[in-house]
Amino acid sequence: MEELLPIAPSMPTPQGKNIASVVSRFGKRLLGFIRRRVASQADAEDILQDVWYQLTTTVDTEPIEQISGWLFSVARNKIIDRYRKKKPESLDLLLDTDGEGPDLTGILLDNSQNPESTHLRALFWKTLQEALDELPEEQKAVFVWNELGDLSFKEIAELTGEKVNTLISRKRYAVLHLRERLLTLYNEIIQH
């Protein structure tokens, strides 16, 4: 059983010493955990810094009883947040590359800075984010990891303990939902 670290705002000892011991104890393992889930070492280090920052701000306001679980949960959330913010270079699954989805490539590839094209691009990304948020967590995570995080289904299976076929099925349901939502947006755009 993991020992509880005495990190709480009411402690009489300096926080810096406690945080330093947490960094020393969990730093390498946490960095390895993050690195396996992101595209580059630089991204992993950035996320790790975000985790340490959140630790320093959290210990000022609330005690952390299971530090290891807390750190890995925060890291996982930071990884997902980073993928949500990252705009994918290719949305072939969602765009009309196989005749099943709406053809929004013109909107996304239009680099003009006129108010209409800027508005349409912003509307696309907003709609995509909302549609992702509507998905069940398992479908959303698989889509984000595979499409935005460039993780293979095999890598995701190792992370989650799920079978590859289950993951493929979840992603397919996610893609169908996202296409449906983007088709609604597309229809609204062409009606104006």
Side-chain angles (χ1 to χ4, degrees):
M1 182 172 166
E2 176 186 330
E3 77 179 68
L4 299 179
L5 291 179
I7 296 181
S10 60
M11 290 177 39
T13 58
Q15 276 182 328
K17 181 179 178 186
N18 292 318
I19 292 173
S21 69
V22 171
V23 170
S24 174
R25 183 171 176 199
F26 294 102
K28 286 183 183 179
R29 204 169 92 200
L30 196 57
L31 181 61
F33 171 83
I34 297 166
R35 180 62 186 105
R36 287 189 302 275
R37 289 156 178 81
V38 297
S40 70
Q41 182 70 22
D43 287 346
E45 291 169 358
D46 288 347
I47 291 170
L48 183 60
Q49 289 305 313
D50 290 344
V51 172
W52 296 140
Y53 176 76
Q54 188 165 340
L55 174 65
T56 62
T57 59
T58 301
V59 297
D60 288 337
T61 59
E62 62 187 78
I64 301 172
E65 293 185 18
Q66 291 286 342
I67 192 71
S68 176
W70 186 91
L71 288 170
F72 285 89
S73 290
V74 169
R76 192 174 300 110
N77 291 338
K78 296 286 183 191
I79 292 165
I80 291 170
D81 288 347
R82 173 149 310 202
Y83 288 138
R84 282 183 186 159
K85 291 176 187 173
K86 179 181 173 186
K87 293 183 180 179
E89 293 80 31
S90 170
L91 289 174
D92 292 344
L93 282 173
L94 302 178
L95 303 174
D96 193 24
T97 57
D98 59 5
E100 292 183 40
D103 187 4
L104 296 168
T105 51
I107 294 169
L108 294 175
L109 298 179
D110 181 2
N111 288 328
S112 63
Q113 295 302 315
N114 67 54
E116 183 181 7
S117 63
T118 301
H119 172 72
L120 290 175
R121 280 192 302 273
L123 189 58
F124 170 84
W125 291 113
K126 180 180 181 239
T127 303
L128 180 61
Q129 183 62 54
E130 288 170 353
L132 280 170
D133 290 341
E134 293 168 357
L135 291 170
E137 192 58 40
E138 297 87 8
Q139 291 176 16
K140 179 171 143 182
V142 171
F143 181 85
V144 168
W145 287 334
N146 184 250
E147 281 300 306
L148 308 180
D150 294 326
L151 292 178
S152 69
F153 286 112
K154 182 179 177 187
E155 292 170 318
I156 298 169
E158 291 171 6
L159 294 173
T160 63
E162 297 285 348
K163 294 180 181 179
V164 169
N165 287 340
T166 300
L167 299 171
I168 292 170
S169 177
R170 287 178 182 165
K171 180 179 175 188
R172 178 72 180 151
Y173 285 120
V175 168
L176 290 174
H177 174 73
L178 296 173
R179 281 182 177 169
E180 183 179 317
R181 288 280 274 126
L182 292 174
L183 181 59
T184 302
L185 172 65
Y186 177 75
N187 289 333
E188 289 173 7
I189 291 170
I190 62 170
Q191 289 176 358
H192 277 89

